[in-house]
Amino acid sequence: MQLSLTPFLLAVQIGFLFMLAWRCLQAAPQPNATAAVHAHLGWIALYGVITSILGARGIFVRDDLMAWLPGLWLQIITVAVCVVPVLLFAPLRGGLRRVFDATPWHWLAYFHALRIAALGTAYKTYTGEFPAYFEYLVGIPDLLFGLSALWIAGRAKRGTLTARGFLMWNLVGALVIVPAAPILLQLGLPGPLQVFTGPPDARAVFTYPMSIAPMIGVPLFVLVNLWAVWRLWERRREALAGITR
C-alpha cells in the first residue's frame, strides 16, 4: 500500500462538516434543528468506510469491471448516496439551510483550501506514479482552486465578498471537477474509450488508498460547492420575491 494523506483528508472533511452541524445545533432554539444533518453525515461517513474497504480489496481496479466503463458512473453512486436523501427528506433540507446560514463564509472557503492536498498528486505525477494527463487537466486546476480559497476567505473575513461572487466561485469549484474528471478518468482506463494508454493509466486513481479521493473525498468538495450554490440561489430568489411584493 502506498503512503497517502487521503484517509486523513477524508477524516478532516467529515469532521469539519460534523462540527458545522454541531455548532448550529448548539445555537438553535429548536432542540433537534440539525438532527437530520447529523444522521446524514453519519450515513456519508459509513459510505466512506465501505468504499475505503472496497478500494483496499481492489474492487475498483478489477479487470472484469473495466469493460463497464466505471470511470463514468462510479462517482455517480457517491452523488446519489449523498443527494437522494436531501431530495427525499424535508427536515434534512431544512437542517442544511440552517447550517449554511449559520456558517461564516470564510470557514467554507477554508474547507476548500484543503484541496491544496492536490500537491500530493502533483508529486506522484513527478515520480511517475500518477497519470500526467489527468494531473494537468484536473489536478492542477483543482490545486489552483484550493489556493484561491485562501484569497476568497480573506475577502469574506473583510466583508468585501458579495453573495453573487461567493456563488460564482463555488460554481467554478464544482465545474473544475464536473464533468471533466469522470470523462478523463474513463479515457485513461482500459476499455473501448481508452485514449491515454501510457503508463501509469487512470487505474492509479482508483488504487487504494488513492481511491478514497475519487470515491468520496473529491465528491464531498463538489457537493459542498453545490450546497453553497443551492442555498445562495435560494436566498437570492427569496430576496427578489420580497422586493416584488
Side-chain angles (χ1 to χ4, degrees), residues 40 43-44 77-86 92 216 220 223:
H40 186 50
W43 165 237
I44 292 173
I77 297 175
T78 301
V79 173
V81 163
C82 297
V83 172
V84 168
V86 178
L92 177 54
I216 183 67
L220 273 182
L223 288 168

Side-chain angles (χ1 to χ4, degrees), residues 153-224:
R155 289 195 58 190
K157 289 179 72 173
R158 293 192 301 270
T160 61
L161 181 64
T162 66
R164 184 175 183 275
F166 195 47
L167 187 156
M168 295 304 297
W169 178 76
N170 276 283
L171 187 59
V172 169
L175 293 176
V176 163
I177 302 297
V178 182
I183 295 171
L184 289 169
L185 276 176
Q186 189 56 57
L187 294 180
L189 290 173
L193 299 183
Q194 187 174 21
V195 173
F196 302 100
T197 57
D201 63 24
R203 280 175 292 192
V205 181
F206 286 115
T207 300
Y208 187 81
M210 181 60 68
S211 62
I212 295 172
M215 288 307 301
I216 183 67
V218 172
L220 273 182
F221 282 128
V222 173
L223 288 168
V224 171

Side-chain angles (χ1 to χ4, degrees), residues 45-114:
L46 175 61
Y47 175 80
V49 171
I50 292 170
T51 55
S52 296
I53 292 172
L54 293 176
R57 293 184 177 180
I59 298 297
F60 304 131
V61 291
R62 286 175 49 173
D63 290 339
D64 56 352
L65 181 64
M66 293 299 106
W68 295 93
L69 308 179
L72 296 178
W73 56 265
L74 271 178
Q75 295 167 90
I76 294 177
I77 297 175
T78 301
V79 173
V81 163
C82 297
V83 172
V84 168
V86 178
L87 298 177
L88 292 179
F89 301 112
L92 177 54
R93 293 194 298 275
L96 289 171
R97 290 184 179 102
R98 291 188 185 96
V99 173
F100 183 86
D101 291 347
T103 301
W105 289 354
H106 64 276
W107 286 19
L108 293 173
Y110 282 134
F111 174 80
H112 289 289
L114 292 172

